[in-house]
Amino acid sequence: MPRIDFGSKVESFIDWLQTHLTWLFDAISTVLTNCFDGVNAVLSGPEPLLMGGILAVIAFWLRGLFPAILAMIGFMVIDSVELWEHAMMTLSQVLVCAVITLIIAVPLGIWAARSKTVSAAVRPVLDFMQTMPAMIYLLPGVVFFGVGVTPGLLATVIFAMPPAVRMTELGIRQVDPELVEAAEAFGTTPGNTLRRVQLPLALPTIMAGVNQVIMLALSMVVIAGMAGGEGLGEDVYNAVTRVEIGAGFEAGLGVVILAMYLDRMTAALNQRVSPLGRRALAKAAAMASGWKLVHYRPATSVAGVGVIVLALVAGGMSFAGSDDDSQQASASTNVGKGKEIKMGYIPWDEGIASSYLWKEALEQRGYKVDLQQLDPGPMFTALSKGDLDFQTDTWLPTTHEQYWKKYGSKLEDLGDWYGPTSLELSVPSYMKGIKSLEDLKKNEDKFGKKIIGIEASSGEMGILKDKIVKEYGLEDWKIVSSSTASMLAELDRSYKQEKPIVTTLWSPHWAYSKYDLTKLKDPKGAWGKGDKIHTVARKGFSQDDPTVAKWLKGFKMSEKDLTDLEGMITDAGKGKEQDAVKEWLKKHPGYVNKMAPVAGGGGDTAKGKDAGKTVNLGYFPWDEAIASTYLWQNILEDRGYKPNVKQLDPGPLYTALSKGDMDVQMDSWLPTTHKQYMDKYGDKLSDIGKWYGPTSLELSVPSYMKDVNSLEDLKDHKGEFKGKIIGIEASAGMMGILKDKVVNEYGLKDWKVVSSSTASMLSELDRSIKKKEPVVVTLWSPHWAYAQHDLKKLKDPKGAWGKGDDIHITGKKDFKKDFPELNGWLKNFKMSEKDLASLEAEIQKGGQGKEKESARKWMDAHPGIVDKLAPVG
């Protein structure tokens, strides 16, 4: 029989559809995506336990108390393995697909039940839809809609539709014809007969079809993870491709819990919605014995009230937490400004490593990165359609040649970042006498004529099947397509048992350092020359984001750096890839600046002469101290130093400096505020120089205190202020001046000076202003409080505060000797009021615990700052 080329005809038809019906596919994609986003927002918005409680109340209504408890336990398990968000995505997909499927399938089933012609026409189509392998439906979905949720939703609707149509038709056909005839005899219209007789009696069968639809939908959305579908399917797919047993079990457990919940709930729903079901339920309740509570099922109104109450609580909590989310989203640098970048990666080690490295780098530069794992075929399809922005693991000119030929005109090659590579078949070194591909044919019995491969869509597998087996007479060998992780797992298992095995591999790969392997020589050159690893982007990416495109074009990575990073990611395990990247970057300070340099910051990665030295930086919790200290912590790390930062009060900090336990601090207010400490420890310290000034100390009041403009006015308004001044840390020099001089000069000895902390003072100031209450606080200039609140600095006609200080850097006695390079940098350090205020504001925005990261963001927004403050060379 001559071969009928169905495949090419189908592809031609698909191309025609893409050309002429793009508008239709865009409309379908918009509808499906918006439906999913809306349902997912509802299910994912509340706190997990609250949403679990709502679902448990529904179980209580449908099944009773014990199933509700089991449902709640199941949802708590999902939350405990940190899969709640993905589980709700999966549930959202199932619900959306089930509703759309039923909207189409039930009317079609009714039509088929009432027309033998329609039934005969529909039946073979349903047979085709039901028996076609589920994964096949993903192919046109990816072609028409790209990767993501949409192709999975469409494939699920098609896959889940047949049982709904069949069961609807069956249910209506099974209704007793005599009942239908009786209805017609009384003059009932066909429409009323359908609504009042056939559908109510067919409802149990239809509900069984609904149950099957939901179960099939759940199985399909899991498979959709292969095409970038979100949710538990993505977790299952990632675990399978990487042979992560633990992660796979957790994701599978989440699927099982959802499946059991949906199955039990839809099965029980029939008892609530159909007349026959309600009758059976009432009969069972009447005959129930034993504990009534176990058999109790609340009325619909009672259950509805419970759901509404929990939903209102969840909505209130979501609304209350929305401010924090928006604040966090605004804390981006001026480079990316929150712009979204969509990346894809193939689950090969260098693809995982380079992709997560770039994800971290771009996020540090203020971009929002969406990273998806895909096989090569869907990956290049998505790039060609513009659904992804770029991926970093294209092996050219050989391995991925087939994809480049097909999609190259719709892609951009941003250049190679590693190479040359090599493709090979490898065997364990204990397989003596097997050194070349030519030796495989002679030893085919040892290997069982089997080669363990990787992803079927990979270019290496294409070359193996099209060239290698022909050149070396291996046509009758079985090439096992699996995944990179599965291949490595099989290699590890065989290696430990010293069994014969031949696998696809490539160089560089960490497997060669873990196992003693032999790369089989290729005397006929069938593999071709070694590839280089390129970064490939969608068409137009360089124009849309020239900055990132420029960074990617300049990206290079050495074999040592790449294999080290791969090793750390492999050791960290599934789900910890970005954490491993962060740890790797800590060992490679300045690497992000090298990958993604901001304008003028090209020298940020240079090491100082004293790189490697540990510097102990102390600070007390004043805003300018926090800002300058964390700024220098970042600068020193970029220059290769090892800074240790510690917070202390002024007294302990000066004591530590005098004893040499601390090296330097940035916030000595001289000659006034910290005079007492310099008088006591000055001969054991070194004054490195001033970096800001002059400053001023003052008492301040809100501007609505109209009659209080000077320190002299306070005494006449003691009652309004309750004779109280809100101060800061008791050990601060400012507090000493206030207690020893200011209160004496202005007759305020009977006033209470409250020693607290800077943060407490600012909190009290904020609270009082919001209530428009009188308050007098200690403040100093510069300070961001003057920009945030309308305050008056109280005049000091007697000069009790003294002249304004300059802010100095104070080091231990031998600081210059121990840190000559750093001493020179600090001696020349200056900062304007504008820069200091913006740095303080960024740190305030970042919040406690994020000071270092906030300072880094400020540095990224001020390119070249490291070269300016800490020049080398």
Side-chain angles (χ1 to χ4, degrees):
M1 283 289 292
R3 185 183 187 280
I4 302 176
D5 193 2
F6 282 118
S8 61
K9 297 182 185 303
V10 171
E11 289 197 7
S12 298
F13 179 62
I14 295 297
D15 291 338
W16 183 88
L17 291 176
Q18 282 185 290
T19 304
H20 295 87
L21 295 179
T22 303
W23 60 271
L24 177 61
F25 300 133
D26 290 343
I28 293 173
S29 177
T30 300
V31 171
L32 291 176
T33 303
N34 288 339
C35 288
F36 167 75
D37 289 341
V39 176
N40 186 51
V42 172
L43 295 180
S44 300
E47 289 294 318
L49 294 183
L50 273 175
M51 191 66 229
I54 292 173
L55 296 174
V57 169
I58 295 174
F60 189 22
W61 171 58
L62 290 173
R63 299 278 297 182
L65 179 61
F66 188 61
I69 294 173
L70 291 179
M72 190 63 194
I73 292 173
F75 293 130
M76 291 170 66
V77 170
I78 293 177
D79 186 38
S80 69
V81 295
E82 299 180 350
L83 289 175
W84 181 263
E85 183 178 354
H86 284 191
M88 291 302 101
M89 289 180 179
T90 297
L91 183 57
S92 300
Q93 293 176 55
V94 170
L95 294 178
V96 168
C97 292
V99 170
I100 294 175
T101 299
L102 294 174
I103 289 174
I104 299 171
V106 171
L108 186 58
I110 294 172
W111 191 16
R114 305 184 74 171
S115 170
K116 292 182 179 180
T117 303
V118 173
S119 178
V122 166
R123 190 177 298 115
V125 176
L126 296 178
D127 291 339
F128 178 85
M129 293 170 62
Q130 203 162 8
T131 55
M132 178 67 71
M135 288 181 287
I136 300 300
Y137 293 122
L138 289 176
L139 298 179
V142 170
V143 170
F144 293 139
F145 304 104
V147 297
V149 174
T150 305
L153 294 175
L154 183 66
T156 302
V157 170
I158 296 172
F159 182 67
M161 191 174 296
V165 177
R166 293 183 190 278
M167 297 299 280
T168 301
E169 180 184 359
L170 178 63
I172 293 176
R173 288 188 181 277
Q174 285 181 337
V175 174
D176 191 342
E178 293 182 359
L179 293 176
V180 177
E181 291 176 3
E184 292 174 349
F186 281 100
T188 306
T189 63
N192 282 333
T193 300
L194 174 66
R195 290 191 297 272
R196 298 183 179 182
V197 178
Q198 291 174 302
L199 283 180
L201 294 174
L203 200 54
T205 305
I206 295 174
M207 288 304 300
V210 172
N211 180 272
Q212 290 187 35
V213 165
I214 291 178
M215 291 298 100
L216 289 174
L218 182 59
S219 67
M220 190 62 200
V221 297
V222 172
I223 295 173
M226 298 177 61
E230 299 174 347
L232 295 174
E234 183 180 14
D235 294 309
V236 171
Y237 172 61
N238 291 347
V240 170
T241 55
R242 301 192 197 180
V243 196
E244 295 279 355
I245 298 175
F249 176 80
E250 291 178 350
L253 181 62
V255 173
V256 168
I257 292 171
L258 284 183
M260 292 179 66
Y261 179 82
L262 292 171
D263 177 62
R264 303 302 190 271
M265 295 308 107
T266 51
L269 187 60
N270 173 52
Q271 295 179 320
R272 286 290 189 180
V273 298
S274 72
L276 296 177
R278 287 196 296 270
R279 189 181 305 165
L281 185 63
K283 184 177 180 180
M287 296 177 63
S289 60
W291 291 354
K292 294 290 184 180
L293 182 61
V294 174
H295 301 283
Y296 172 73
R297 299 185 190 182
T300 302
S301 58
V302 175
V305 169
V307 170
I308 292 171
V309 169
L310 289 174
L312 290 174
V313 173
M317 293 181 66
S318 298
F319 179 78
S322 61
D323 292 340
D324 294 337
D325 295 338
S326 61
Q327 184 176 0
Q328 184 177 0
S330 67
S332 60
T333 67
N334 290 336
V335 181
K337 298 181 180 178
K339 184 177 181 180
E340 185 176 30
I341 297 272
K342 293 184 177 180
M343 292 176 58
Y345 72 96
I346 305 167
W348 295 359
D349 293 286
E350 73 285 343
I352 295 170
S354 56
S355 298
Y356 277 96
L357 177 62
W358 271 107
K359 183 176 187 291
E360 176 64 21
L362 290 172
E363 287 178 349
Q364 287 191 22
R365 289 294 180 257
Y367 290 86
K368 181 181 177 182
V369 180
D370 179 15
L371 184 59
Q372 296 183 48
Q373 176 185 320
L374 295 166
D375 276 354
M379 171 87 72
F380 282 96
T381 302
L383 284 169
S384 69
K385 292 173 62 65
D387 296 327
L388 293 176
D389 291 313
F390 72 89
Q391 65 103 349
T392 61
D393 201 27
T394 301
W395 288 46
L396 293 174
T398 306
T399 308
H400 290 140
E401 178 185 14
Q402 56 180 316
Y403 300 110
W404 189 254
K405 284 182 177 179
K406 186 173 183 179
Y407 300 110
S409 61
K410 301 177 182 178
L411 304 175
E412 289 184 8
D413 184 358
L414 300 182
D416 65 272
W417 58 271
Y418 182 91
T421 65
S422 65
L423 304 178
E424 55 256 354
L425 294 183
S426 296
V427 299
S429 59
Y430 53 72
M431 299 301 299
K432 304 298 182 184
I434 302 177
K435 304 293 183 183
S436 166
L437 291 172
E438 294 175 326
D439 298 327
L440 289 177
K441 184 72 175 177
K442 306 171 189 175
N443 297 273
E444 58 186 19
D445 292 338
K446 294 181 180 179
F447 296 105
K449 293 186 179 182
K450 187 166 65 174
I451 298 171
I452 307 300
I454 53 174
E455 292 79 8
S457 58
S458 69
E460 182 174 14
M461 292 292 283
I463 298 170
L464 175 62
K465 294 176 181 178
D466 297 339
K467 295 183 179 180
I468 301 299
V469 297
K470 294 178 181 179
E471 288 288 340
Y472 292 96
L474 306 175
E475 290 95 334
D476 57 339
W477 281 50
K478 181 180 180 181
I479 299 174
V480 181
S481 299
S482 57
S483 68
T484 304
S486 299
M487 176 273 292
L488 291 169
E490 181 66 16
L491 172 61
D492 183 75
R493 186 186 65 81
S494 299
Y495 192 89
K496 289 176 179 176
Q497 299 177 19
E498 292 199 4
K499 289 184 176 181
I501 185 173
V502 55
T503 66
T504 53
L505 262 179
W506 55 92
S507 298
H509 197 287
W510 54 264
Y512 289 111
S513 61
K514 184 175 182 179
Y515 309 106
D516 189 5
L517 302 174
T518 301
K519 299 180 184 180
L520 299 184
K521 295 178 182 178
D522 177 21
K524 298 181 180 181
W527 282 117
K529 294 182 179 179
D531 280 336
K532 290 189 176 181
I533 306 178
H534 291 241
T535 300
V536 171
R538 61 174 172 80
K539 198 76 172 178
F541 178 71
S542 295
Q543 294 180 348
D544 295 341
D545 204 321
T547 302
V548 176
K550 182 179 179 181
W551 291 342
L552 292 169
K553 289 176 181 178
F555 176 51
K556 302 291 179 184
M557 205 168 189
S558 68
E559 181 173 356
K560 184 179 185 304
D561 285 345
L562 179 57
T563 53
D564 286 349
L565 179 56
E566 287 178 354
M568 290 186 69
I569 289 175
T570 301
D571 293 340
K574 172 71 173 68
K576 301 292 184 180
E577 295 89 350
Q578 196 161 357
D579 293 336
V581 168
K582 291 177 180 178
E583 287 299 315
W584 186 84
L585 286 173
K586 287 181 180 179
K587 298 180 180 180
H588 297 77
Y591 204 90
V592 172
N593 289 332
K594 179 182 176 182
M595 292 172 60
V598 288
D604 288 3
T605 58
K607 298 296 183 289
K609 295 177 182 177
D610 293 332
K613 283 188 176 181
T614 299
V615 183
N616 294 309
L617 287 153
Y619 74 96
F620 37 89
W622 292 5
D623 293 286
E624 72 284 345
I626 295 170
S628 56
T629 301
Y630 281 100
L631 170 65
W632 274 100
Q633 182 188 19
N634 279 295
I635 292 173
L636 291 174
E637 285 183 351
D638 287 353
R639 289 299 187 235
Y641 288 76
K642 297 178 180 178
N644 290 326
V645 175
K646 189 172 183 180
Q647 176 184 321
L648 295 167
D649 275 354
L653 180 52
Y654 278 97
T655 302
L657 285 168
S658 69
K659 298 175 66 175
D661 296 332
M662 300 296 293
D663 294 315
V664 66
Q665 68 102 352
M666 310 293 299
D667 205 35
S668 289
W669 287 47
L670 296 173
T672 307
T673 308
H674 291 147
K675 181 178 183 297
Q676 56 179 316
Y677 299 112
M678 295 305 292
D679 289 343
K680 185 174 182 179
Y681 300 112
D683 59 336
K684 299 177 182 179
L685 304 174
S686 58
D687 184 359
I688 299 171
K690 70 174 184 177
W691 61 274
Y692 182 93
T695 65
S696 64
L697 306 177
E698 55 255 355
L699 293 184
S700 296
V701 299
S703 59
Y704 52 74
M705 301 300 297
K706 301 297 184 183
D707 297 331
V708 183
N709 299 297
S710 166
L711 292 173
E712 292 177 325
D713 299 329
L714 287 178
K715 191 172 183 179
D716 298 332
H717 294 80
K718 180 180 179 181
E720 293 179 56
F721 293 107
K722 298 180 181 179
K724 188 166 63 176
I725 298 171
I726 308 301
I728 53 174
E729 292 78 10
S731 59
M734 179 181 192
M735 292 294 284
I737 298 170
L738 174 62
K739 293 176 180 178
D740 296 340
K741 293 186 177 180
V742 175
V743 297
N744 292 330
E745 287 287 343
Y746 291 97
L748 307 175
K749 293 180 181 179
D750 55 341
W751 282 52
K752 181 180 180 182
V753 178
V754 180
S755 299
S756 58
S757 67
T758 304
S760 299
M761 176 272 293
L762 292 169
S763 178
E764 180 65 17
L765 173 63
D766 183 71
R767 188 192 65 79
S768 299
I769 288 178
K770 287 179 179 177
K771 294 185 176 182
K772 284 203 170 184
E773 294 178 350
V775 65
V776 56
V777 300
T778 54
L779 262 179
W780 54 93
S781 300
H783 197 286
W784 55 265
Y786 289 111
Q788 184 170 333
H789 305 294
D790 189 6
L791 302 173
K792 286 192 293 186
K793 301 178 183 180
L794 298 185
K795 296 176 183 178
D796 176 20
K798 298 181 180 181
W801 283 115
K803 294 182 179 180
D805 281 336
D806 291 320
I807 304 179
H808 288 240
I809 301 171
T810 303
K812 64 180 183 180
K813 185 70 173 178
D814 297 328
F815 182 79
K816 182 178 180 180
K817 178 182 176 182
D818 293 345
F819 301 97
E821 181 182 46
L822 177 55
N823 185 79
W825 292 339
L826 295 177
K827 190 173 183 179
N828 294 319
F829 173 49
K830 304 292 180 187
M831 206 166 191
S832 68
E833 182 173 355
K834 179 181 178 182
D835 284 345
L836 178 57
S838 64
L839 175 56
E840 289 179 353
E842 188 67 51
I843 290 175
Q844 285 290 321
K845 190 193 305 180
Q848 188 174 2
K850 299 289 185 181
E851 295 86 356
K852 182 182 175 183
E853 292 85 346
S854 299
R856 173 64 69 181
K857 289 177 182 177
W858 183 88
M859 292 167 65
D860 290 340
H862 292 74
I865 192 69
V866 177
D867 282 336
K868 178 182 177 181
L869 298 182
V872 295

